[in-house]
Amino acid sequence: MSLTAEELERYSRHIMLPEMGAEGQEKLKNSKVLLVGTGGLGAPLGLYLAAAGVGTIGLVDFDTVSVSNLQRQVIHGTKDIGRRKLDSAADTLLDINPNINIVKHELALTSENALAIVGAYDVVADGTDNFPTRYLVNDACVLTGKPNAYGSIFRFEGQASVFATEEGPCYRCLYPEPPPPGLVPSCAEGGVLGILPGVIGLIQATEVVKILLGIGQTLAGRLLLYDAMNMKFRELKLRKNPDCPVCGTNRTVTKLIDYHQFCGMPKEISALEVKAKLARKDDFVLIDVREPHEHQARNIPEATLIPLGQLPQRMLEIDRSKLVIVHCKSGMRSAKACTLLRESGYPNVLNMTGGIDAYPAS
Amino acid sequence: MATILIPTPLRQYAGGQSSVDATGSSVSEVLASLTSQHPALKNHLYNDEGRLRSFVNIYVNDEDIRYLDKEKTAVAAADTLSIVPSIAGGAA
């Protein structure tokens, strides 16, 4: 597709760049970029890639806008609180540039759907917030041969690189294994300077455009570190690991795996499925690891109350030959309980996602 | 004295400092000097078997020690060591 008269005018400052020209701008128009997450990093990525004229932008998110997002997720506004992030983001992007096409993927990227979704795009920009999805995005990019403009942030510090190019290293070359759950705090727990994802997200956006146009030198093979507090950029060398399980010479990962398990996170079951299992009188044990006062306020009658702090001493009360499902209020404490149980030799443990907050009232 | 740059997530275990000077002529000696000054860091850098954790990368200047001589990599007084752990934040 060639550029319209309006587009020639709109992108005139691009087109006058000798490195780009109308030809480069047409390349952008015919390109497809997938943004995984429309949060801190996805917001600046989306805004600038839309303005720059990337023809198709896919968005993956299933969250809704909350007031605490607005300190950094500048793609959403106060009027959007409570809306689906996909709708809010798409409205903003189409307002900036109505010429582009927004594809909404309202889902969590999983091992089942990632290859098909990632495979439909030219470049991926990873702006997720957890290790299982980071490894999932990396492996999906390597397996489908799609470059990944990577960015990650914590408090006042960010990292950026480009992974999964034909010659370059991947995320697993940098970090073969994820940290055990709980050891590295998330932004939700550790906080983040709201401006930081703006800086890192725009480094990712720059790399996306360069990859699409085939110009300049990308961050492939380099890890850029940004320290906002001391306003320092540093660069470290990244090598393709010949023993990398997904992009090395003797590959052991040739299809997508269970990334929750890989990251040491408990397997999950939805609150609705638990309710259905109870209704069917399936044979399993349901443990509530909240505190007694929470249990008193609302509980699932079939659940046994063992507060998380008492679990190590009272573990023997739980039959290890059975399937054990653990719940708390929202799923965080029960995730810790699941890890504890699995480490203590319980073979069959599931975390009830969303906790009792997600359990339907009868 | 080599300089060790401490990343944000680990600064709370290093008295809040962003860099620490440490003595030693190899990576393992320099890290031993660091953890003797800040014992709380030890658990975050090493696993129970005393090996460097796989999600913590160590660089001498801009080179990953995995591609040099690992923990035996020589360190000169003018060198800078970077500890670069994996961080996942982005959307939430």
Side-chain angles (χ1 to χ4, degrees), chain B residues 11-48:
Chain B
R11 280 180 201 161
Q12 56 182 309
Y13 310 108
Q17 298 176 81
S18 58
S19 77
V20 173
D21 288 336
T23 53
S25 58
S26 68
V27 168
S28 56
E29 286 175 20
V30 171
L31 291 179
S33 161
L34 171 70
T35 53
S36 71
Q37 294 175 58
H38 300 286
L41 274 175
K42 201 163 185 174
N43 181 41
H44 291 269
L45 298 181
Y46 296 97
N47 64 18
D48 294 342

PDB file of all heavy atoms in Angstrom, chain B residues 11-48:
ATOM      1  N   ARG B  11      20.296  -2.779  46.445  1.00  0.00           N
ATOM      2  CA  ARG B  11      20.899  -1.706  47.253  1.00  0.00           C
ATOM      3  C   ARG B  11      20.461  -1.768  48.710  1.00  0.00           C
ATOM      4  O   ARG B  11      21.206  -1.401  49.611  1.00  0.00           O
ATOM      5  CB  ARG B  11      20.559  -0.337  46.662  1.00  0.00           C
ATOM      6  CG  ARG B  11      21.470  -0.036  45.487  1.00  0.00           C
ATOM      7  CD  ARG B  11      21.192   1.294  44.847  1.00  0.00           C
ATOM      8  NE  ARG B  11      21.739   1.232  43.495  1.00  0.00           N
ATOM      9  CZ  ARG B  11      21.401   2.035  42.511  1.00  0.00           C
ATOM     10  NH1 ARG B  11      20.532   3.003  42.718  1.00  0.00           N
ATOM     11  NH2 ARG B  11      21.932   1.896  41.327  1.00  0.00           N
ATOM     12  N   GLN B  12      19.226  -2.233  48.938  1.00  0.00           N
ATOM     13  CA  GLN B  12      18.744  -2.317  50.323  1.00  0.00           C
ATOM     14  C   GLN B  12      19.592  -3.276  51.157  1.00  0.00           C
ATOM     15  O   GLN B  12      19.596  -3.182  52.371  1.00  0.00           O
ATOM     16  CB  GLN B  12      17.276  -2.753  50.336  1.00  0.00           C
ATOM     17  CG  GLN B  12      17.023  -4.057  49.608  1.00  0.00           C
ATOM     18  CD  GLN B  12      15.555  -4.456  49.595  1.00  0.00           C
ATOM     19  OE1 GLN B  12      14.894  -4.486  50.626  1.00  0.00           O
ATOM     20  NE2 GLN B  12      15.031  -4.750  48.409  1.00  0.00           N
ATOM     21  N   TYR B  13      20.310  -4.198  50.489  1.00  0.00           N
ATOM     22  CA  TYR B  13      21.169  -5.130  51.227  1.00  0.00           C
ATOM     23  C   TYR B  13      22.615  -4.642  51.279  1.00  0.00           C
ATOM     24  O   TYR B  13      23.494  -5.327  51.775  1.00  0.00           O
ATOM     25  CB  TYR B  13      21.111  -6.523  50.587  1.00  0.00           C
ATOM     26  CG  TYR B  13      19.700  -6.989  50.374  1.00  0.00           C
ATOM     27  CD1 TYR B  13      19.136  -7.049  49.099  1.00  0.00           C
ATOM     28  CD2 TYR B  13      18.893  -7.335  51.468  1.00  0.00           C
ATOM     29  CE1 TYR B  13      17.826  -7.453  48.907  1.00  0.00           C
ATOM     30  CE2 TYR B  13      17.580  -7.728  51.286  1.00  0.00           C
ATOM     31  CZ  TYR B  13      17.051  -7.778  50.004  1.00  0.00           C
ATOM     32  OH  TYR B  13      15.746  -8.173  49.818  1.00  0.00           O
ATOM     33  N   ALA B  14      22.874  -3.453  50.711  1.00  0.00           N
ATOM     34  CA  ALA B  14      24.239  -2.910  50.687  1.00  0.00           C
ATOM     35  C   ALA B  14      24.250  -1.513  51.315  1.00  0.00           C
ATOM     36  O   ALA B  14      24.926  -0.606  50.823  1.00  0.00           O
ATOM     37  CB  ALA B  14      24.758  -2.869  49.248  1.00  0.00           C
ATOM     38  N   GLY B  15      23.450  -1.359  52.351  1.00  0.00           N
ATOM     39  CA  GLY B  15      23.400  -0.078  53.048  1.00  0.00           C
ATOM     40  C   GLY B  15      22.913   1.054  52.164  1.00  0.00           C
ATOM     41  O   GLY B  15      23.266   2.217  52.387  1.00  0.00           O
ATOM     42  N   GLY B  16      22.127   0.733  51.142  1.00  0.00           N
ATOM     43  CA  GLY B  16      21.574   1.759  50.266  1.00  0.00           C
ATOM     44  C   GLY B  16      22.550   2.317  49.247  1.00  0.00           C
ATOM     45  O   GLY B  16      22.211   3.216  48.489  1.00  0.00           O
ATOM     46  N   GLN B  17      23.763   1.771  49.199  1.00  0.00           N
ATOM     47  CA  GLN B  17      24.790   2.340  48.307  1.00  0.00           C
ATOM     48  C   GLN B  17      24.641   1.845  46.860  1.00  0.00           C
ATOM     49  O   GLN B  17      24.247   0.711  46.629  1.00  0.00           O
ATOM     50  CB  GLN B  17      26.188   1.939  48.802  1.00  0.00           C
ATOM     51  CG  GLN B  17      26.500   2.467  50.187  1.00  0.00           C
ATOM     52  CD  GLN B  17      27.849   1.969  50.657  1.00  0.00           C
ATOM     53  OE1 GLN B  17      28.877   2.523  50.296  1.00  0.00           O
ATOM     54  NE2 GLN B  17      27.853   0.915  51.449  1.00  0.00           N
ATOM     55  N   SER B  18      24.959   2.717  45.921  1.00  0.00           N
ATOM     56  CA  SER B  18      24.892   2.311  44.520  1.00  0.00           C
ATOM     57  C   SER B  18      26.235   1.769  44.033  1.00  0.00           C
ATOM     58  O   SER B  18      26.309   1.139  42.987  1.00  0.00           O
ATOM     59  CB  SER B  18      24.432   3.469  43.638  1.00  0.00           C
ATOM     60  OG  SER B  18      25.307   4.558  43.783  1.00  0.00           O
ATOM     61  N   SER B  19      27.296   2.035  44.778  1.00  0.00           N
ATOM     62  CA  SER B  19      28.568   1.389  44.448  1.00  0.00           C
ATOM     63  C   SER B  19      29.373   1.151  45.715  1.00  0.00           C
ATOM     64  O   SER B  19      29.266   1.897  46.687  1.00  0.00           O
ATOM     65  CB  SER B  19      29.367   2.210  43.433  1.00  0.00           C
ATOM     66  OG  SER B  19      29.981   3.308  44.061  1.00  0.00           O
ATOM     67  N   VAL B  20      30.146   0.071  45.687  1.00  0.00           N
ATOM     68  CA  VAL B  20      30.936  -0.333  46.849  1.00  0.00           C
ATOM     69  C   VAL B  20      32.351  -0.642  46.346  1.00  0.00           C
ATOM     70  O   VAL B  20      32.506  -1.270  45.293  1.00  0.00           O
ATOM     71  CB  VAL B  20      30.329  -1.601  47.508  1.00  0.00           C
ATOM     72  CG1 VAL B  20      31.227  -2.129  48.619  1.00  0.00           C
ATOM     73  CG2 VAL B  20      28.931  -1.318  48.051  1.00  0.00           C
ATOM     74  N   ASP B  21      33.355  -0.195  47.066  1.00  0.00           N
ATOM     75  CA  ASP B  21      34.733  -0.550  46.709  1.00  0.00           C
ATOM     76  C   ASP B  21      35.108  -1.841  47.422  1.00  0.00           C
ATOM     77  O   ASP B  21      34.763  -2.033  48.586  1.00  0.00           O
ATOM     78  CB  ASP B  21      35.707   0.564  47.145  1.00  0.00           C
ATOM     79  CG  ASP B  21      35.556   1.796  46.262  1.00  0.00           C
ATOM     80  OD1 ASP B  21      35.098   1.638  45.116  1.00  0.00           O
ATOM     81  OD2 ASP B  21      35.880   2.902  46.733  1.00  0.00           O
ATOM     82  N   ALA B  22      35.798  -2.721  46.716  1.00  0.00           N
ATOM     83  CA  ALA B  22      36.159  -3.991  47.327  1.00  0.00           C
ATOM     84  C   ALA B  22      37.536  -4.417  46.852  1.00  0.00           C
ATOM     85  O   ALA B  22      37.964  -4.079  45.748  1.00  0.00           O
ATOM     86  CB  ALA B  22      35.128  -5.057  46.969  1.00  0.00           C
ATOM     87  N   THR B  23      38.230  -5.176  47.706  1.00  0.00           N
ATOM     88  CA  THR B  23      39.581  -5.627  47.369  1.00  0.00           C
ATOM     89  C   THR B  23      39.519  -7.022  46.762  1.00  0.00           C
ATOM     90  O   THR B  23      38.530  -7.733  46.907  1.00  0.00           O
ATOM     91  CB  THR B  23      40.477  -5.678  48.625  1.00  0.00           C
ATOM     92  OG1 THR B  23      39.793  -6.470  49.600  1.00  0.00           O
ATOM     93  CG2 THR B  23      40.729  -4.303  49.189  1.00  0.00           C
ATOM     94  N   GLY B  24      40.615  -7.417  46.099  1.00  0.00           N
ATOM     95  CA  GLY B  24      40.695  -8.756  45.523  1.00  0.00           C
ATOM     96  C   GLY B  24      41.229  -8.696  44.126  1.00  0.00           C
ATOM     97  O   GLY B  24      41.131  -7.669  43.453  1.00  0.00           O
ATOM     98  N   SER B  25      41.811  -9.836  43.674  1.00  0.00           N
ATOM     99  CA  SER B  25      42.399  -9.847  42.340  1.00  0.00           C
ATOM    100  C   SER B  25      41.601 -10.741  41.394  1.00  0.00           C
ATOM    101  O   SER B  25      41.962 -10.896  40.241  1.00  0.00           O
ATOM    102  CB  SER B  25      43.852 -10.303  42.408  1.00  0.00           C
ATOM    103  OG  SER B  25      43.893 -11.590  42.999  1.00  0.00           O
ATOM    104  N   SER B  26      40.521 -11.362  41.900  1.00  0.00           N
ATOM    105  CA  SER B  26      39.652 -12.141  41.025  1.00  0.00           C
ATOM    106  C   SER B  26      38.208 -11.813  41.381  1.00  0.00           C
ATOM    107  O   SER B  26      37.931 -11.233  42.436  1.00  0.00           O
ATOM    108  CB  SER B  26      39.890 -13.639  41.201  1.00  0.00           C
ATOM    109  OG  SER B  26      39.446 -14.023  42.498  1.00  0.00           O
ATOM    110  N   VAL B  27      37.291 -12.224  40.499  1.00  0.00           N
ATOM    111  CA  VAL B  27      35.870 -11.947  40.752  1.00  0.00           C
ATOM    112  C   VAL B  27      35.439 -12.547  42.090  1.00  0.00           C
ATOM    113  O   VAL B  27      34.770 -11.895  42.898  1.00  0.00           O
ATOM    114  CB  VAL B  27      34.996 -12.487  39.595  1.00  0.00           C
ATOM    115  CG1 VAL B  27      33.528 -12.478  39.972  1.00  0.00           C
ATOM    116  CG2 VAL B  27      35.226 -11.656  38.344  1.00  0.00           C
ATOM    117  N   SER B  28      35.845 -13.804  42.341  1.00  0.00           N
ATOM    118  CA  SER B  28      35.391 -14.432  43.589  1.00  0.00           C
ATOM    119  C   SER B  28      35.952 -13.703  44.815  1.00  0.00           C
ATOM    120  O   SER B  28      35.242 -13.532  45.809  1.00  0.00           O
ATOM    121  CB  SER B  28      35.742 -15.921  43.614  1.00  0.00           C
ATOM    122  OG  SER B  28      37.117 -16.090  43.428  1.00  0.00           O
ATOM    123  N   GLU B  29      37.197 -13.227  44.731  1.00  0.00           N
ATOM    124  CA  GLU B  29      37.777 -12.496  45.876  1.00  0.00           C
ATOM    125  C   GLU B  29      37.074 -11.155  46.086  1.00  0.00           C
ATOM    126  O   GLU B  29      36.778 -10.768  47.207  1.00  0.00           O
ATOM    127  CB  GLU B  29      39.283 -12.260  45.654  1.00  0.00           C
ATOM    128  CG  GLU B  29      40.128 -13.504  45.842  1.00  0.00           C
ATOM    129  CD  GLU B  29      41.602 -13.273  45.503  1.00  0.00           C
ATOM    130  OE1 GLU B  29      42.055 -12.095  45.490  1.00  0.00           O
ATOM    131  OE2 GLU B  29      42.277 -14.261  45.221  1.00  0.00           O
ATOM    132  N   VAL B  30      36.792 -10.487  44.983  1.00  0.00           N
ATOM    133  CA  VAL B  30      36.139  -9.178  45.090  1.00  0.00           C
ATOM    134  C   VAL B  30      34.722  -9.341  45.660  1.00  0.00           C
ATOM    135  O   VAL B  30      34.291  -8.579  46.532  1.00  0.00           O
ATOM    136  CB  VAL B  30      36.107  -8.475  43.715  1.00  0.00           C
ATOM    137  CG1 VAL B  30      35.239  -7.227  43.761  1.00  0.00           C
ATOM    138  CG2 VAL B  30      37.519  -8.105  43.279  1.00  0.00           C
ATOM    139  N   LEU B  31      34.001 -10.386  45.191  1.00  0.00           N
ATOM    140  CA  LEU B  31      32.648 -10.608  45.713  1.00  0.00           C
ATOM    141  C   LEU B  31      32.691 -11.038  47.177  1.00  0.00           C
ATOM    142  O   LEU B  31      31.810 -10.681  47.962  1.00  0.00           O
ATOM    143  CB  LEU B  31      31.911 -11.655  44.862  1.00  0.00           C
ATOM    144  CG  LEU B  31      31.549 -11.200  43.438  1.00  0.00           C
ATOM    145  CD1 LEU B  31      30.847 -12.332  42.684  1.00  0.00           C
ATOM    146  CD2 LEU B  31      30.655  -9.959  43.452  1.00  0.00           C
ATOM    147  N   ALA B  32      33.738 -11.788  47.556  1.00  0.00           N
ATOM    148  CA  ALA B  32      33.885 -12.178  48.965  1.00  0.00           C
ATOM    149  C   ALA B  32      34.104 -10.938  49.820  1.00  0.00           C
ATOM    150  O   ALA B  32      33.546 -10.813  50.926  1.00  0.00           O
ATOM    151  CB  ALA B  32      35.045 -13.163  49.134  1.00  0.00           C
ATOM    152  N   SER B  33      34.894 -10.009  49.311  1.00  0.00           N
ATOM    153  CA  SER B  33      35.130  -8.750  50.030  1.00  0.00           C
ATOM    154  C   SER B  33      33.823  -7.965  50.149  1.00  0.00           C
ATOM    155  O   SER B  33      33.513  -7.394  51.203  1.00  0.00           O
ATOM    156  CB  SER B  33      36.205  -7.942  49.298  1.00  0.00           C
ATOM    157  OG  SER B  33      36.166  -6.590  49.674  1.00  0.00           O
ATOM    158  N   LEU B  34      33.028  -7.982  49.077  1.00  0.00           N
ATOM    159  CA  LEU B  34      31.734  -7.286  49.094  1.00  0.00           C
ATOM    160  C   LEU B  34      30.798  -7.897  50.134  1.00  0.00           C
ATOM    161  O   LEU B  34      30.196  -7.183  50.947  1.00  0.00           O
ATOM    162  CB  LEU B  34      31.091  -7.357  47.707  1.00  0.00           C
ATOM    163  CG  LEU B  34      29.645  -6.869  47.607  1.00  0.00           C
ATOM    164  CD1 LEU B  34      29.577  -5.354  47.785  1.00  0.00           C
ATOM    165  CD2 LEU B  34      29.011  -7.275  46.282  1.00  0.00           C
ATOM    166  N   THR B  35      30.676  -9.237  50.129  1.00  0.00           N
ATOM    167  CA  THR B  35      29.714  -9.864  51.043  1.00  0.00           C
ATOM    168  C   THR B  35      30.215  -9.841  52.490  1.00  0.00           C
ATOM    169  O   THR B  35      29.408  -9.945  53.406  1.00  0.00           O
ATOM    170  CB  THR B  35      29.402 -11.320  50.616  1.00  0.00           C
ATOM    171  OG1 THR B  35      30.614 -12.033  50.462  1.00  0.00           O
ATOM    172  CG2 THR B  35      28.617 -11.346  49.321  1.00  0.00           C
ATOM    173  N   SER B  36      31.540  -9.674  52.690  1.00  0.00           N
ATOM    174  CA  SER B  36      31.986  -9.525  54.084  1.00  0.00           C
ATOM    175  C   SER B  36      31.645  -8.123  54.589  1.00  0.00           C
ATOM    176  O   SER B  36      31.347  -7.931  55.762  1.00  0.00           O
ATOM    177  CB  SER B  36      33.480  -9.837  54.236  1.00  0.00           C
ATOM    178  OG  SER B  36      34.237  -8.806  53.651  1.00  0.00           O
ATOM    179  N   GLN B  37      31.629  -7.146  53.677  1.00  0.00           N
ATOM    180  CA  GLN B  37      31.206  -5.799  54.082  1.00  0.00           C
ATOM    181  C   GLN B  37      29.685  -5.733  54.248  1.00  0.00           C
ATOM    182  O   GLN B  37      29.174  -4.996  55.083  1.00  0.00           O
ATOM    183  CB  GLN B  37      31.609  -4.768  53.017  1.00  0.00           C
ATOM    184  CG  GLN B  37      33.108  -4.585  52.840  1.00  0.00           C
ATOM    185  CD  GLN B  37      33.391  -3.619  51.677  1.00  0.00           C
ATOM    186  OE1 GLN B  37      32.950  -2.481  51.661  1.00  0.00           O
ATOM    187  NE2 GLN B  37      34.116  -4.088  50.696  1.00  0.00           N
ATOM    188  N   HIS B  38      28.956  -6.478  53.409  1.00  0.00           N
ATOM    189  CA  HIS B  38      27.488  -6.457  53.426  1.00  0.00           C
ATOM    190  C   HIS B  38      26.954  -7.894  53.402  1.00  0.00           C
ATOM    191  O   HIS B  38      26.556  -8.400  52.356  1.00  0.00           O
ATOM    192  CB  HIS B  38      26.955  -5.672  52.221  1.00  0.00           C
ATOM    193  CG  HIS B  38      27.423  -4.252  52.196  1.00  0.00           C
ATOM    194  ND1 HIS B  38      26.928  -3.287  53.044  1.00  0.00           N
ATOM    195  CD2 HIS B  38      28.376  -3.645  51.448  1.00  0.00           C
ATOM    196  CE1 HIS B  38      27.541  -2.131  52.805  1.00  0.00           C
ATOM    197  NE2 HIS B  38      28.430  -2.321  51.848  1.00  0.00           N
ATOM    198  N   PRO B  39      26.952  -8.555  54.563  1.00  0.00           N
ATOM    199  CA  PRO B  39      26.586  -9.982  54.606  1.00  0.00           C
ATOM    200  C   PRO B  39      25.182 -10.266  54.071  1.00  0.00           C
ATOM    201  O   PRO B  39      24.929 -11.361  53.557  1.00  0.00           O
ATOM    202  CB  PRO B  39      26.666 -10.319  56.103  1.00  0.00           C
ATOM    203  CG  PRO B  39      27.522  -9.247  56.707  1.00  0.00           C
ATOM    204  CD  PRO B  39      27.309  -8.020  55.879  1.00  0.00           C
ATOM    205  N   ALA B  40      24.269  -9.294  54.150  1.00  0.00           N
ATOM    206  CA  ALA B  40      22.897  -9.536  53.700  1.00  0.00           C
ATOM    207  C   ALA B  40      22.831  -9.810  52.195  1.00  0.00           C
ATOM    208  O   ALA B  40      21.862 -10.379  51.695  1.00  0.00           O
ATOM    209  CB  ALA B  40      22.010  -8.341  54.047  1.00  0.00           C
ATOM    210  N   LEU B  41      23.866  -9.406  51.458  1.00  0.00           N
ATOM    211  CA  LEU B  41      23.874  -9.620  50.002  1.00  0.00           C
ATOM    212  C   LEU B  41      24.090 -11.077  49.623  1.00  0.00           C
ATOM    213  O   LEU B  41      23.693 -11.510  48.550  1.00  0.00           O
ATOM    214  CB  LEU B  41      25.009  -8.800  49.369  1.00  0.00           C
ATOM    215  CG  LEU B  41      24.728  -7.353  49.003  1.00  0.00           C
ATOM    216  CD1 LEU B  41      26.004  -6.696  48.503  1.00  0.00           C
ATOM    217  CD2 LEU B  41      23.650  -7.268  47.921  1.00  0.00           C
ATOM    218  N   LYS B  42      24.735 -11.817  50.534  1.00  0.00           N
ATOM    219  CA  LYS B  42      25.203 -13.163  50.198  1.00  0.00           C
ATOM    220  C   LYS B  42      24.073 -14.038  49.655  1.00  0.00           C
ATOM    221  O   LYS B  42      24.198 -14.665  48.599  1.00  0.00           O
ATOM    222  CB  LYS B  42      25.827 -13.798  51.440  1.00  0.00           C
ATOM    223  CG  LYS B  42      26.761 -14.911  51.099  1.00  0.00           C
ATOM    224  CD  LYS B  42      27.663 -15.250  52.260  1.00  0.00           C
ATOM    225  CE  LYS B  42      28.676 -16.298  51.791  1.00  0.00           C
ATOM    226  NZ  LYS B  42      29.673 -16.595  52.789  1.00  0.00           N
ATOM    227  N   ASN B  43      22.961 -14.053  50.373  1.00  0.00           N
ATOM    228  CA  ASN B  43      21.823 -14.890  49.988  1.00  0.00           C
ATOM    229  C   ASN B  43      21.232 -14.491  48.637  1.00  0.00           C
ATOM    230  O   ASN B  43      20.614 -15.305  47.963  1.00  0.00           O
ATOM    231  CB  ASN B  43      20.773 -14.795  51.106  1.00  0.00           C
ATOM    232  CG  ASN B  43      19.568 -15.642  50.818  1.00  0.00           C
ATOM    233  OD1 ASN B  43      19.710 -16.766  50.333  1.00  0.00           O
ATOM    234  ND2 ASN B  43      18.390 -15.103  51.092  1.00  0.00           N
ATOM    235  N   HIS B  44      21.464 -13.244  48.257  1.00  0.00           N
ATOM    236  CA  HIS B  44      20.895 -12.784  46.988  1.00  0.00           C
ATOM    237  C   HIS B  44      21.833 -13.041  45.812  1.00  0.00           C
ATOM    238  O   HIS B  44      21.417 -13.015  44.665  1.00  0.00           O
ATOM    239  CB  HIS B  44      20.538 -11.294  47.075  1.00  0.00           C
ATOM    240  CG  HIS B  44      19.381 -11.068  48.001  1.00  0.00           C
ATOM    241  ND1 HIS B  44      18.086 -11.057  47.580  1.00  0.00           N
ATOM    242  CD2 HIS B  44      19.348 -10.926  49.350  1.00  0.00           C
ATOM    243  CE1 HIS B  44      17.281 -10.886  48.615  1.00  0.00           C
ATOM    244  NE2 HIS B  44      18.034 -10.799  49.698  1.00  0.00           N
ATOM    245  N   LEU B  45      23.102 -13.286  46.113  1.00  0.00           N
ATOM    246  CA  LEU B  45      24.067 -13.541  45.040  1.00  0.00           C
ATOM    247  C   LEU B  45      24.361 -15.029  44.871  1.00  0.00           C
ATOM    248  O   LEU B  45      24.618 -15.491  43.761  1.00  0.00           O
ATOM    249  CB  LEU B  45      25.383 -12.809  45.336  1.00  0.00           C
ATOM    250  CG  LEU B  45      25.322 -11.284  45.411  1.00  0.00           C
ATOM    251  CD1 LEU B  45      26.714 -10.720  45.688  1.00  0.00           C
ATOM    252  CD2 LEU B  45      24.779 -10.705  44.110  1.00  0.00           C
ATOM    253  N   TYR B  46      24.294 -15.772  45.982  1.00  0.00           N
ATOM    254  CA  TYR B  46      24.675 -17.185  45.936  1.00  0.00           C
ATOM    255  C   TYR B  46      23.503 -18.065  46.353  1.00  0.00           C
ATOM    256  O   TYR B  46      22.711 -17.689  47.211  1.00  0.00           O
ATOM    257  CB  TYR B  46      25.854 -17.445  46.883  1.00  0.00           C
ATOM    258  CG  TYR B  46      27.110 -16.723  46.497  1.00  0.00           C
ATOM    259  CD1 TYR B  46      27.451 -15.509  47.094  1.00  0.00           C
ATOM    260  CD2 TYR B  46      27.952 -17.253  45.526  1.00  0.00           C
ATOM    261  CE1 TYR B  46      28.601 -14.822  46.725  1.00  0.00           C
ATOM    262  CE2 TYR B  46      29.105 -16.577  45.157  1.00  0.00           C
ATOM    263  CZ  TYR B  46      29.429 -15.368  45.760  1.00  0.00           C
ATOM    264  OH  TYR B  46      30.573 -14.712  45.384  1.00  0.00           O
ATOM    265  N   ASN B  47      23.443 -19.272  45.757  1.00  0.00           N
ATOM    266  CA  ASN B  47      22.426 -20.229  46.198  1.00  0.00           C
ATOM    267  C   ASN B  47      22.952 -21.032  47.389  1.00  0.00           C
ATOM    268  O   ASN B  47      24.065 -20.791  47.870  1.00  0.00           O
ATOM    269  CB  ASN B  47      21.981 -21.123  45.024  1.00  0.00           C
ATOM    270  CG  ASN B  47      23.114 -21.995  44.499  1.00  0.00           C
ATOM    271  OD1 ASN B  47      24.125 -22.199  45.163  1.00  0.00           O
ATOM    272  ND2 ASN B  47      22.935 -22.516  43.292  1.00  0.00           N
ATOM    273  N   ASP B  48      22.149 -22.007  47.847  1.00  0.00           N
ATOM    274  CA  ASP B  48      22.519 -22.764  49.053  1.00  0.00           C
ATOM    275  C   ASP B  48      23.817 -23.543  48.872  1.00  0.00           C
ATOM    276  O   ASP B  48      24.526 -23.827  49.836  1.00  0.00           O
ATOM    277  CB  ASP B  48      21.388 -23.722  49.444  1.00  0.00           C
ATOM    278  CG  ASP B  48      20.144 -22.955  49.882  1.00  0.00           C
ATOM    279  OD1 ASP B  48      20.294 -21.751  50.205  1.00  0.00           O
ATOM    280  OD2 ASP B  48      19.046 -23.544  49.891  1.00  0.00           O
TER     281      ASP B  48
END
